[in-house]
Amino acid sequence: MSPVMIDLLLNALWETVIMTAISGLFSLLAGLPLGLILVMTSPGGIAEHRGVNRVLGLIINGFRSLPFIILLVALIPFTRFLVGTSLGTWAAIVPLSITATPYFARVAEVSLRDVDRGLIDAVRAMGASKLRIVWDVLIPEALPGILAGFVVTLVALIGASAMAGAIGAGGLGDLAIRYGYQRFDTAVMVAVIAVLIVLVCGIQWLGDRLVTRIDKRR
């Protein structure tokens, strides 16, 4: 590969990291509260409310059922309204965040549901408030599973960011399509695939190490 192509590859890698990191942060900040609400308002939860639980579940399932490429195109007017354009790295962050949030909400919900019900009941019997139960019991006990699910979400976002390259979102996907596919440059395609594999494996390895360190059950 030429020095120019190497520069393009490094720039595309940086764009992919930016898209994944920022949309991952949005999914964490929005998805975790949604997962908590789903668990708290479920039947037998500490703030049981079947109506809220049912409506929120339907909304989350609705967004999760949409293939990312369809959501990407459907959100073009909304993306253009928010960031002023539907092309480029910052424009891709909008649909990436929206598609990752319900996904992570369900992942977080599964981890939160695994918290020992007896422990929650014991804390409730001691007079703890709902907020105290969330901060002192639910989140700490489910943290290893939540973190593991967040790592899976980041990996899924890397794949989605590559798909977003099909409509000019930048990043490794855009580089692979414009130079590897449209110009039939096999070296570029192989390099992009190799970088994606290393990136995914690196994130998964770091995530697994962190989960192992904070998991009190090990």
Side-chain angles (χ1 to χ4, degrees):
M1 293 179 64
S2 66
V4 173
M5 194 56 64
I6 292 176
D7 287 341
L8 288 174
L9 181 62
L10 292 176
N11 184 65
L13 173 60
W14 174 247
E15 290 175 345
T16 295
V17 170
I18 289 294
M19 286 189 286
T20 302
I22 296 180
S23 56
L25 178 61
F26 275 117
S27 71
L28 176 63
L29 295 177
L32 181 55
L34 290 176
L36 283 166
I37 294 172
L38 285 171
V39 172
M40 294 170 64
T41 59
S42 62
I46 60 175
E48 181 177 348
H49 196 299
R50 297 182 181 229
V52 171
N53 185 270
R54 188 175 294 111
V55 171
L56 182 58
L58 286 173
I59 294 173
I60 289 175
N61 289 339
F63 277 97
R64 287 182 64 215
S65 66
L66 292 175
F68 176 67
I69 192 67
I70 295 177
L71 183 65
L72 186 67
V73 175
L75 288 173
I76 286 178
F78 180 65
T79 301
R80 188 179 293 117
F81 171 76
L82 284 182
V83 299
T85 179
S86 60
L87 300 175
T89 301
W90 293 103
I93 290 173
V94 176
L96 284 171
S97 301
I98 291 176
T99 196
T101 295
Y103 177 85
F104 180 64
R106 285 299 188 185
V107 171
E109 179 193 11
V110 172
S111 299
L112 291 164
R113 286 189 186 279
D114 285 339
V115 175
D116 186 4
R117 181 71 189 183
L119 179 60
I120 297 175
D121 290 339
V123 175
R124 292 182 71 180
M126 294 171 61
S129 65
K130 294 181 178 65
L131 184 60
R132 181 63 63 184
I133 293 173
V134 169
W135 284 110
D136 291 349
V137 180
L138 282 176
I139 293 179
E141 291 295 320
L143 188 57
I146 291 173
L147 180 57
F150 182 61
V151 172
V152 173
T153 302
L154 289 178
V155 171
L157 278 170
I158 292 175
S161 69
M163 192 184 306
I167 63 168
L172 292 168
D174 181 56
L175 182 67
I177 291 172
R178 287 194 294 120
Y179 291 89
Y181 175 70
Q182 295 178 350
R183 301 188 184 185
F184 304 101
D185 193 330
T186 304
V188 172
M189 187 67 75
V190 171
V192 169
I193 292 173
V195 170
L196 283 171
I197 291 174
V198 171
L199 183 59
V200 168
C201 290
I203 290 176
Q204 190 66 59
W205 181 79
L206 288 173
D208 291 343
R209 291 288 299 271
L210 187 56
V211 170
T212 300
R213 292 193 63 176
I214 67 174
D215 193 347
K216 296 181 292 185
R217 296 169 296 183
R218 294 177 181 269

